[in-house]
Amino acid sequence: MQILSDIAELRTTLRQLRSGSERATHRSVGFVPTMGALHAGHRSLVQAARQRCDIVVASIFVNPTQFAPHEDFSRYPRTLAEDCQMLEAEGVDVVFTPTAEAMYPPGASTFVEVEGVSDRLDGASRPGHFRGVATVVAKLFHIVQPGLAFFGQKDAAQVAVLRKMVRDLDFPLEIIVCPTVREPDGLAMSSRNRYLSAVERRQALTLSRALHAAEIQVTRGEHRASALLQTVRATLQEEPAIRVDYIAAVDPDTLLPIENVASGALLAVAAYVGTTRLIDNVLLAAATGNTVVPGKKKS
Ligand code: AMP
């Protein structure tokens, strides 16, 4: 596995890897962008890329432009040595670890703004966040030129923004979305979980519990978004240490609110546990007319 931080060197290496066999023109590149502090959620993306592509590139870059000044950029966990061990064990070919100076040379003033969708959910709570995300991902796409790029459902609003960017700007690649990987007790894995104390870690479970309660309600035939949101809110309120940022039932592509989830919906939540902001979501499938009783197999 090669670990490269220079853009030109990465381009040369990828050119060589792409043309390194008799299947030269067909060697596909799969790309997994990350901010490091890797966990099993990231691992699942790398494994999906390894399964589907000839060459797997992962990037580790804590992108300063997606953090507001008061956010956790400086204390964001950085665990490069362990991250590289994990990526090597998963068969990654190249890890790209650029510096902020390389990604944003002095005077850089070009940004990618995906209007509308970037102002919803996390974009509403974190103004400018998705401008930073779209800009860095667009740059990484230009540098790596993957055929497939892998992202987690965990960051559902990010998926909506990046899908729209790829469509609007005709990036020649496909975005593959992988399911959220959870701890055995249901907590969605996140690099930020390591900020949580033991007590907060228990409190944080309320997020997945609240979403699950709404999911069960849907299987019993409740399709009104207002009722589902009320269930999520009530469950979160059972844990006084939690401060809700947003609870939303939206269209997964536009992130606009919907009133009825019968044709599918994204149910998403963001909340603070102590000073740590956590997000989680579930994708509600379109109703089929069959009700599924939790715990029983669908016939
Ligand atoms: P991050 O390092 O937090 O920027 O995340 C890098 C990629 O990993 C993003 O596409 C995330 O959506 C994805 N990811 C983060 N946590 C999870 C998880 N628990 N399950 C699946 N994917 C995840």
Side-chain angles (χ1 to χ4, degrees), residues 33-36 38-39 41-42 44-45 66 76 150-155 158 178-182 188-191:
T34 82
M35 297 206 300
L38 302 183
H39 50 67
H42 299 109
S44 74
L45 304 186
Q66 69 190 68
Y76 195 84
F150 297 79
F151 292 87
Q153 175 61 33
K154 159 85 179 358
D155 295 82
Q158 171 171 277
C178 300
T180 301
V181 176
R182 299 177 179 280
M189 290 201 179
S190 163
S191 304

Side-chain angles (χ1 to χ4, degrees), residues 18-244:
R18 276 194 175 94
S19 61
S21 80
E22 65 283 3
R23 297 172 61 208
T25 50
H26 297 111
R27 294 202 91 200
S28 58
V29 174
F31 179 43
V32 183
T34 82
M35 297 206 300
L38 302 183
H39 50 67
H42 299 109
R43 184 187 286 124
S44 74
L45 304 186
V46 170
Q47 288 172 341
R50 188 64 286 168
Q51 268 182 8
R52 296 189 53 169
C53 305
D54 299 315
I55 303 163
V56 177
V57 182
S59 64
I60 297 177
F61 179 59
V62 186
N63 174 35
T65 65
Q66 69 190 68
F67 289 81
H70 65 277
E71 292 182 339
D72 57 342
F73 173 72
S74 55
R75 73 177 188 119
Y76 195 84
R78 288 158 171 90
T79 58
L80 186 61
E82 291 99 309
D83 292 351
C84 287
Q85 264 176 23
M86 189 234 261
L87 296 174
E88 179 144 43
E90 295 300 335
V92 166
D93 297 289
V94 181
V95 185
F96 181 43
T97 57
T99 60
E101 294 70 32
M103 290 300 277
Y104 300 106
S109 61
T110 306
F111 296 90
V112 177
E113 188 119 24
V114 186
E115 289 184 0
V117 73
S118 290
D119 298 329
R120 297 168 196 148
L121 299 192
D122 305 283
S125 317
R126 305 179 67 187
H129 171 66
F130 285 129
R131 183 195 203 229
V133 170
T135 301
V136 80
V137 173
K139 283 177 68 83
L140 290 167
F141 283 173
H142 282 307
I143 295 166
V144 176
Q145 300 189 9
L148 300 182
F150 297 79
F151 292 87
Q153 175 61 33
K154 159 85 179 358
D155 295 82
Q158 171 171 277
V159 166
V161 169
L162 295 179
R163 278 204 159 130
K164 187 143 198 322
M165 178 187 83
V166 163
R167 214 169 35 237
D168 288 355
L169 296 182
D170 299 298
F171 278 92
L173 59 87
E174 190 186 341
I175 286 189
I176 308 293
V177 182
C178 300
T180 301
V181 176
R182 299 177 179 280
E183 301 282 359
D185 61 7
L187 180 69
M189 290 201 179
S190 163
S191 304
R192 290 189 167 97
N193 288 351
R194 62 183 80 200
Y195 296 154
L196 302 171
S197 68
V199 171
E200 289 170 339
R201 167 69 182 72
R202 259 196 314 280
Q203 295 165 338
L205 255 190
T206 318
L207 272 74
S208 54
R209 212 157 49 76
L211 290 169
H212 189 59
E215 264 184 318
I216 289 176
Q217 231 184 334
V218 176
T219 65
R220 292 180 175 153
E222 178 60 82
H223 292 144
R224 288 168 306 159
S226 57
L228 302 173
L229 295 174
Q230 180 47 34
T231 296
V232 175
R233 190 172 305 280
T235 311
L236 290 173
Q237 276 169 355
E238 286 169 16
E239 178 45 73
I242 285 187
R243 184 162 60 83
V244 172

